[in-house]
Amino acid sequence: MFTKSAEFYDLIYASKDYAGESAYIHELIQRYKRTVGSRLLDAACGTGQHLRYLRRYYNAQGFDLDEEMLAIAHDRLPDLLLYHADLASFSLGKQFDVITCLFSAIGYVETEARLQLATEAFRRHLVKGGILIFEAWFSPEEYVPDTVHARFVDEPDLKIARMNVSRIEGTVSVLDFRYMVAVADGIFTFDETHRLGLFTDEQYRRAVERSGFKVVLRDPEGISGRSLYICEVVD
């Protein structure tokens, strides 16, 4: 997914408050977790920025499908166990007290069938009393197609312009990105396309409930303006 852009990802999101978000996630975990353990799995952990802070409180591990992002996470957190795995099919052979899936990574499952598979995998990896916290992508009502967006990096020896146009294909949001990167020896451009499923609140709830969870909180604003779901394992 981020094959060409992974090395620029943390620069593009340099203003994201990973520390503050992680502190809020920690507060929620302490409020809702009913286990005595401290094992945490960050699903779709990306470059490991949330893990960087969550590890202060938990025995943390993570996984991601994108090998380039995972390599950065390995460099950042060389002493943590990090796995190469898919949200819809991961099987680590162990269980945790908490699973997090943040920054709307759940949207990358694309379809409701794969959303169901992902929630089933989450449940298999949680102990009794454990909790799942995931940050939703936009719902069909919230998503606005045919809009343009941009982010910029302005460092002394590096300039980046990341532009994208949003569109929709059925129930999938499609983000067509173009990057322009300037370094001392020249300027280069490349394109990426990201596809994220547009799920309703009802679809999220149906998927987790069928997998053995109950939703105990839906925070509409979450940590970045998108819904945050806290789900506990049904005994």
Side-chain angles (χ1 to χ4, degrees):
M1 205 72 65
F2 296 89
T3 301
K4 298 177 181 177
S5 66
E7 63 179 302
F8 308 118
Y9 185 88
D10 287 335
L11 286 169
I12 289 170
Y13 289 106
S15 63
K16 186 171 174 63
D17 184 13
Y18 288 101
E21 292 177 4
S22 299
Y24 179 55
I25 294 297
H26 173 55
E27 291 176 12
L28 292 173
I29 293 170
Q30 294 306 298
R31 189 184 312 168
Y32 292 102
K33 183 171 72 71
R34 296 185 291 110
T35 68
V36 296
S38 63
R39 297 160 296 178
L40 179 144
L41 177 68
D42 190 21
C45 65
T47 63
Q49 289 281 37
H50 284 113
L51 276 173
R52 175 184 174 192
Y53 297 99
L54 291 170
R55 66 174 302 178
R56 297 176 180 178
Y57 314 109
Y58 304 99
N59 177 7
Q61 300 178 28
F63 74 83
D64 202 277
L65 180 61
D66 192 289
E67 293 183 286
E68 287 77 13
M69 300 280 274
L70 199 58
I72 295 170
H74 272 295
D75 288 341
R76 171 171 282 127
L77 305 164
D79 57 328
L80 292 195
L81 286 174
L82 301 173
Y83 309 91
H84 179 239
D86 188 331
L87 275 173
S89 60
F90 72 98
S91 181
L92 306 182
K94 57 183 71 174
Q95 290 186 309
F96 300 84
D97 300 278
V98 183
I99 295 178
T100 57
C101 185
L102 305 174
F103 211 2
S104 299
I106 194 71
Y108 283 104
V109 298
E110 287 196 41
T111 67
E112 189 171 6
R114 280 176 52 81
L115 175 64
Q116 187 64 58
L117 290 173
T119 59
E120 290 170 3
F122 291 147
R123 175 61 190 90
R124 288 195 299 272
H125 288 78
L126 280 168
V127 298
K128 181 178 179 180
I131 60 170
L132 163 68
I133 301 179
F134 70 90
E135 184 178 6
W137 177 237
F138 295 110
S139 69
E141 295 77 21
E142 294 168 329
Y143 183 72
V144 183
D146 305 316
T147 55
V148 274
H149 308 271
R151 281 181 174 265
F152 304 97
V153 174
D154 186 8
E155 298 288 338
D157 299 314
L158 175 67
K159 314 295 181 186
I160 303 171
R162 189 194 74 174
M163 297 157 285
N164 78 279
V165 177
S166 63
R167 55 190 174 91
I168 190 167
E169 292 181 1
T171 59
V172 177
S173 61
V174 183
L175 309 179
D176 293 313
F177 290 99
R178 172 155 293 180
Y179 288 76
M180 178 175 289
V181 181
V183 291
D185 57 354
I187 299 172
F188 62 96
T189 63
F190 60 89
D191 298 335
E192 280 185 349
T193 297
H194 291 229
R195 300 174 59 89
L196 297 93
L198 297 168
F199 303 114
T200 64
D201 174 64
E202 181 183 0
Q203 287 175 304
Y204 283 124
R205 289 177 183 272
R206 182 164 58 235
V208 297
E209 288 170 3
R210 285 177 175 174
S211 298
F213 295 97
K214 68 176 180 179
V215 176
V216 294
L217 176 69
R218 174 180 175 260
D219 179 353
E221 292 302 313
I223 54 178
S224 60
R226 303 167 194 167
S227 294
L228 191 71
Y229 288 81
I230 295 86
C231 311
E232 69 177 20
V233 173
V234 177
D235 294 340

